Amino acid sequence: MELNFHRHRRLRSTENMRALVRENHLRVEDFIYPLFIIEGENIVNEVKSMPGVFQISLDKLEAEMDEIVSLGIKSILLFGVPLEKDELGQGAYHNHGLVQEATRLVKGKYPEIIVVADTCLCEYTSHGHCGVIEGEKVLNDPSLQLLVQTAVSQAKAGADIIAPSNMMDGFVAAIRKGLDEEGFEDIPIMSYAVKYASSFYGPFRDAADSTPQFGDRKAYQMDPANRLEALREAESDVMEGADFLMVKPGLPYLDIVRDVKNHFNLPIVIYNVSGEYSMVKAAALNGWIDEQKVVMEMLTGMKRAGADLIITYFAKDVARWLKEY
């Protein structure tokens, strides 16, 4: 009996053959490494729910950056963890705030490093929400004014990219206008365009001390059940002047990454968030999985889904593993 079928296994026969036809690759240049800058001195606090991730004070940042640079990582994302908070989150837009001072330090010593500044208020507000509140309601338009001030102060400090993560309506338009009016027309905006009200953010809230003191963020972050809404959100940000589009979280939303990639011609960023990181770390520490293999497969899946860039707490680990190949 004559059979007629395709022999797909011909291209899987050896490691070199598989490498020859491999469609997606991880590069150290793909990664953006988040850093948590805490107020104080001589502080290197491991986040209990995120093994291997630390809150560091400004005086410890240079040593951390030396390691990051030595690994070939070229981009970082800065978060501030202040000791004092207030209702309006003034530390976010203070000219000598934590992110601003960390930016100056990094750009002064490592000018080639891309500094992405997280532009939000939740780490700085006493109530833990991403904007101005009235009662228990987060007000959209008054929040935009503070976000613009934050973005401008970060740009003045030397940030290469402004990354607003608040999910207020019109935040890209407001920040773009504010940056342009201050002479920062060339500073791009990496919009958290598609940010879901996810249960995967818990460990981050430990690291950034940003847990809401009342309610939740479901009135401004997206419903995890929605898909078409993601395209509406992304389209609005494109029209308002975004330069990058981000999908957050990563693993549960790979379909959304592909949708956004298929519809828009901007660089697509995925955030491999804290909950995803902590689950892998916990399983690895218990000996249930091979951490390196799982992480490489997970991040490659994010690239395959359409992500051009990956924000990940695994960046240093993966940079080391890539050097071994």
Side-chain angles (χ1 to χ4, degrees):
M1 178 179 175
E2 185 176 346
L3 296 178
N4 184 18
F5 56 88
H6 294 287
R7 294 193 179 274
H8 301 288
R9 292 178 57 188
R10 290 170 180 159
L11 302 185
R12 304 173 193 154
S13 57
T14 66
E15 175 55 37
N16 283 347
M17 182 68 76
R18 293 189 292 273
L20 184 67
V21 298
R22 189 161 292 141
E23 298 174 31
N24 293 281
H25 301 268
L26 293 174
R27 307 175 308 147
V28 71
E29 292 85 357
D30 299 331
F31 304 129
I32 301 171
Y33 184 58
L35 289 171
F36 297 97
I37 310 303
I38 193 168
E39 192 170 349
E41 295 181 353
N42 198 34
I43 298 173
V44 181
N45 288 337
E46 187 170 29
V47 181
K48 290 183 179 180
S49 56
M50 299 180 70
V53 172
F54 298 84
Q55 298 170 326
I56 59 174
S57 52
L58 281 168
D59 58 318
K60 296 294 184 178
L61 180 56
E62 186 171 329
E64 176 70 14
M65 288 304 305
D66 285 341
E67 181 183 21
I68 289 168
V69 170
S70 72
L71 290 170
I73 297 168
K74 302 184 186 307
S75 304
I76 60 171
L77 172 60
L78 292 176
F79 296 95
V81 188
L83 295 179
E84 296 185 9
K85 302 169 184 269
D86 59 71
E87 285 230 335
L88 296 178
Q90 295 180 69
Y93 43 90
H94 194 288
N95 285 335
H96 296 286
L98 288 170
V99 167
Q100 289 81 352
E101 289 300 311
T103 299
R104 291 187 183 98
L105 188 155
V106 172
K107 296 304 291 184
K109 186 169 177 62
Y110 315 93
E112 73 285 356
I113 290 292
I114 296 294
V115 173
V116 184
D118 180 75
T119 306
C120 198
L121 304 175
C122 62
E123 299 103 309
Y124 304 90
T125 54
S126 53
H127 47 76
H129 280 282
C130 304
V132 178
I133 62 169
E134 185 177 83
E136 292 194 356
K137 181 180 180 180
V138 179
L139 303 179
N140 195 90
D141 294 7
S143 301
L144 295 180
Q145 300 173 26
L146 301 185
L147 293 167
V148 170
Q149 291 182 49
T150 303
V152 169
S153 70
Q154 292 169 340
K156 287 181 177 178
D160 298 287
I161 298 172
I162 298 300
S165 59
N166 53 89
M167 287 297 283
M168 296 296 112
D169 290 337
F171 68 95
V172 173
I175 290 172
R176 183 73 273 158
K177 183 173 185 291
L179 290 173
D180 291 352
E181 288 178 349
E182 292 291 329
F184 295 109
E185 299 93 344
D186 294 332
I187 299 294
I189 295 175
M190 179 183 288
S191 171
Y192 285 65
V194 182
K195 183 177 180 181
Y196 286 89
S198 173
S199 300
F200 284 83
Y201 301 149
F204 173 91
R205 291 171 182 172
D206 292 340
D209 189 23
S210 62
T211 302
Q213 298 304 297
F214 62 85
D216 52 42
R217 296 178 177 142
K218 293 180 181 179
Y220 46 100
Q221 295 178 0
M222 287 177 48
D223 185 336
N226 291 356
R227 181 179 181 184
L228 296 179
E229 183 184 3
L231 296 179
R232 295 197 298 271
E233 284 280 1
E235 183 177 19
S236 294
D237 289 1
V238 171
M239 293 174 64
E240 292 173 18
D243 300 282
F244 302 80
L245 296 174
M246 189 190 303
V247 176
K248 180 181 180 183
L251 276 181
Y253 300 94
L254 296 181
D255 60 322
I256 306 301
V257 174
R258 174 46 57 185
D259 283 343
V260 174
K261 181 70 169 182
N262 287 345
H263 280 82
F264 304 102
N265 292 322
L266 295 179
I268 306 302
V269 186
I270 192 170
Y271 202 138
N272 176 213
V273 299
S274 60
E276 299 163 19
Y277 174 88
S278 295
M279 288 191 302
V280 171
K281 282 290 185 181
L285 287 170
N286 278 284
W288 298 335
I289 61 171
D290 183 315
E291 180 179 353
Q292 179 174 341
K293 290 180 179 178
V294 167
V295 170
M296 296 297 278
E297 181 177 343
M298 177 175 65
L299 299 184
T300 300
M302 293 177 181
K303 288 292 293 289
R304 189 184 64 247
D308 300 294
L309 302 171
I310 303 172
I311 300 171
T312 180
Y313 305 98
F314 288 113
K316 292 199 293 186
D317 293 330
V318 177
R320 294 187 185 97
W321 297 334
L322 289 175
K323 284 190 172 186
E324 294 172 4
Y325 291 140

